[in-house]
Amino acid sequence: MKRVKLFNKTRELESQIDEFCEKVDQGAMTFKIGINSYINDDFAAFEEKLKQVNQLESQGDTLRRNIERRLYEQTLIPESRGDVLGLLENMDTILNSCEGAMWQFAIEKPHIPEEFHTDYINLTDASVSAVDSLVAASRAFFRGAETVSDHMHKVLFYEKEGDKISTRLKMAIFADGLDLAHKAQLRNFVEHIDDIADTAEDVADRLAIYSIKRSI
Amino acid sequence: MEVAGLVFLSSGLFLGGPRGAKKTTNVFGTAVGSGMVRFATAAIICSVFVILGAVISGAGAAHTLGKLGAVNAIPGAFMVAFAAALTVYAMTKAGLPVSTTQAIVGSIVGWNLFTGSLTGGSTLVTLVATWIICPVLAAVIAAALFKAISLWLRRAEINIFRLDAYTRTGLILAGAFGAYSLGANNIANVMGVFVPVSPFTAFSIGDLFTVSSAQQLFLLGSVAIAVGVFTYSKKVMMTVGSSLMSLSPIAAFVVVVSHSIVLFLFASQGLEHFLANLGLPTIPLVPVSSSQAVIGAVVGIGLLKGGRGIRGRVLGSIAAGWAVTPLIAGVLCFVALFFLQNVFNQQVSRLVVYEFTNPVLTRLADESIDIGGVKSLNGRRFFKSVVLADELDRLAYDDEEISRIVDLAEIDNFDFHPDRLADLGEDYLTPDQYAAVIRLSGRIFTHRWLLDDALVEGSEEWALLSDSTINKLYNREIDEKRRAIYSLFRVAGAP
């Protein structure tokens, strides 16, 4: 009986991890729609998405704490417990960054001139794609699949792409005739969005090490 | 059973027990050290399976030790066990890798030298050969198993938590198997030397099964190990388990399984019988070093990973241990026996006399051994088999003849006084065997083989079958029963 119970608990944990990954992924996608709405001046939709990201973030937190507590209470995966813990916390950071960036938009309500719209949207796309790939890589890691590296190189690719866009965008902003305060504000928002891709890359780097460790 | 007997047995228990317990850390150390298995779980499983292994399958390997030299007095057996334990203790203190198995073999040879008994040459060769084969075999098994598991894991895509649960279950099962094999193979080190002088007699529980005197000894020894596990192993498991080898749980699993398979191969009478039935060569049942099996397995995995991190020094020290450990134990035993005999006035060996009586000469002639040379020794008494063997060697007998002549010439003294027959456990023997013994009432025998002949004459069920691998198991059982009869009816002192 104990054996059956043992595997039941395992299955529960597996699905909790899956759920957590989903939250992160959904958070990123909601973030993307929210930013698009803001840029298209649809503030009601933006507020709606902000609320959703908020919820996802707090659900993610609860799940993460739950998983972490279980890992320690049941002394599971002693060898890679620290790694898994780090991974979950870093993924949570991504959710936090998404939420934080959206709050900044909600608080400061920056005016984004028309000519920058495409690049802001592209930058958001790149960042969210990086997070997407990271989530896929993490799932592969938990599932014990060999495909971790397949997803990993995409994270790096999108991060680089994001860097290019943000540099271009910042140069364009500062070459424009806006007043300095406005320029600085727009630059800050470029960085808020780009930070998400950077965090995803950091997590991916760690994940690469974890998966080497995992392959006995 | 006399109090002195208990005191002497204690060297096996108190020194062998903790040593045995330390070995269980090989089996569960990594699992407990890494937190995969709780200590309490490990300790309970370990104790139960060590006891089971020792009592059920301990006889095979112990039998081989008995063939190396029959330590025939309990104070002698005490010193053999003590010298081996002391060697192990001292070498461990000095930080040298050491094997109890090798120490006990050295110690027995020391006893043989001191008492002038012949060392079973072919047995010694078998033992030493197995020491070399053991780590090599462990390495091969570990490498194969590790490769297979890695391939399987790559293909099966198992969730990290599921894999964790599987590994835990695997470690527990492997640990149980390991503890069983350890009990079966290594109880011989703890209790083996006491088998010929066991103070216990066999008894039966119902008609279901009999518990031989050796099994009672093994039970005692394995309980000592079990106590050792609970009292002593925790700290060792925690530290050794995590610091000695930094293996992943799966690699640890592979190491434990390979170690256990090797120990099991060298202890299983069932497997021996199975192989014999198929007409395949059998594996000698020999106590092998569990620590070296572990090191072998780790090295096997290391080689598979490309040979990084394998220190040649470790391998060198294993090889050195093969020579140094038995040597130290042998010398120590020899010196200690001298003190035991001359300072403490203990009888370290039963006085054995060799003499060419008329029945011996007749028998030798029957076996078409040339008795011309032997006749010149007529009327002389020999007190050491080695001296007699030298004498015979001078008379140009070959080795095979010498060992047969020495066997036959040994004087023993059995008295089947009706009073003693009452002590005979009826359940332990078959009805025919029992009747044959009863018919000997009142008779006296001066040679062991004369008694054997009389028993066979009394019942076919006392006869040994021809010496083939298939019959080995049956013959061993008859041998054990005969030994029980010897010890029951032997009268002290030469006639």
Side-chain angles (χ1 to χ4, degrees), chain B residues 394-425:
Chain B
R394 208 172 43 78
L395 292 168
Y397 286 102
D398 65 32
D399 285 351
E400 206 176 305
E401 284 171 332
I402 289 175
S403 93
R404 185 68 189 145
I405 295 171
V406 170
D407 263 0
L408 289 174
E410 182 180 338
I411 298 279
D412 220 323
N413 202 3
F414 303 103
D415 181 1
F416 284 75
H417 194 274
D419 290 351
R420 292 172 158 233
L421 283 171
D423 292 342
L424 187 61

Side-chain angles (χ1 to χ4, degrees), chain A residues 2 9 13 24 38 48 68 74 79 90 94 108 116 122 129 134 163 169 194-195 203 205 213 216:
Chain A
K2 186 165 181 202
K9 275 185 194 163
L13 203 54
V24 176
Y38 182 90
E48 175 65 29
E68 287 173 359
Q74 298 168 19
E79 286 290 298
N90 284 318
I94 293 175
E108 296 185 24
F116 302 137
N122 285 343
S129 298
L134 175 70
D163 274 352
L169 189 52
D194 194 35
D195 272 353
V203 181
D205 284 342
K213 264 174 82 180
I216 6 180

